[in-house]
Amino acid sequence: MSMQRDWQQYRYTIRGRPLIVLKDEHGRIRDIRSGPNLIVQNGWEMIASHIGKSAGGQGAQYIGMGEDSGPIASTDNTISTEVASRIAGTWSSAVGCVTWNLSVSFGSGVPGGGASVRQAGNMTSATGGTMFAKASFAVVNKGSADSLLFTWLF
């Protein structure tokens, strides 16, 4: 009996899905968007490099948003037409669960004049850094008094 295995059967995929919730100044939900994202080439490299790292390695904990309506690609490494500052999110996962999520909230006044948000990126740093994932979606018009909650599901 041969011990050789078909390693293709052990292929894994990672999928992400941002959930975007727009709320007005009174906390009422005005709009909800969700859709698939693309793990970019740098993100796959990050996964590979973190497999052998000890605890405390640099993870992709920041989410930023952009106004560019163009397509996204696996070679992207920035958030197109980025608006506002990236915000460090909160990672959560159940013990023994193979899924996790990252949540951030862009509160009222961020950005000051509002934004027509069409893209988001999951990054390792508040500026620069390595992009893990990027998503493109139908425009979410965030007014300056609105809050926008991003929950990235992986």
Side-chain angles (χ1 to χ4, degrees):
M1 179 175 181
S2 171
M3 295 300 287
Q4 186 177 23
R5 295 183 180 185
D6 177 7
W7 291 103
Q8 293 296 322
Q9 70 180 325
Y10 297 105
R11 261 196 173 169
Y12 293 95
T13 59
I14 296 177
R15 296 184 182 115
R17 186 170 199 85
L19 174 65
I20 300 100
V21 179
L22 176 68
K23 295 182 180 182
D24 66 16
E25 65 270 21
H26 303 291
R28 294 181 299 241
I29 295 174
R30 291 186 40 214
D31 202 356
I32 298 175
R33 297 271 195 286
S34 183
N37 74 211
L38 174 69
I39 305 296
V40 298
Q41 184 174 345
N42 285 341
W44 286 112
E45 291 169 7
M46 183 190 318
I47 291 168
S49 73
H50 281 273
I51 288 173
K53 275 190 175 177
S54 62
Q58 184 181 21
Q61 60 186 0
Y62 291 86
I63 292 181
M65 56 184 174
E67 294 186 310
D68 190 350
S69 61
I72 60 174
S74 65
T75 55
D76 288 351
N77 55 24
T78 61
I79 301 166
S80 307
T81 319
E82 193 166 359
V83 295
S85 297
R86 296 176 195 162
I87 297 177
T90 303
W91 280 100
S92 62
S93 178
V95 175
C97 187
V98 296
T99 62
W100 67 94
N101 66 64
L102 173 67
S103 295
V104 302
S105 180
F106 291 90
S108 64
V110 180
S116 299
V117 183
R118 294 180 180 94
Q119 289 189 2
N122 178 211
M123 307 288 290
T124 61
S125 178
T127 58
T130 300
M131 178 176 281
F132 176 67
K134 188 174 186 178
S136 178
F137 39 86
V139 66
V140 175
N141 292 307
K142 181 189 181 302
S144 59
D146 298 332
S147 65
L148 188 59
L149 174 67
F150 279 86
T151 302
W152 218 301
L153 311 170
F154 294 96

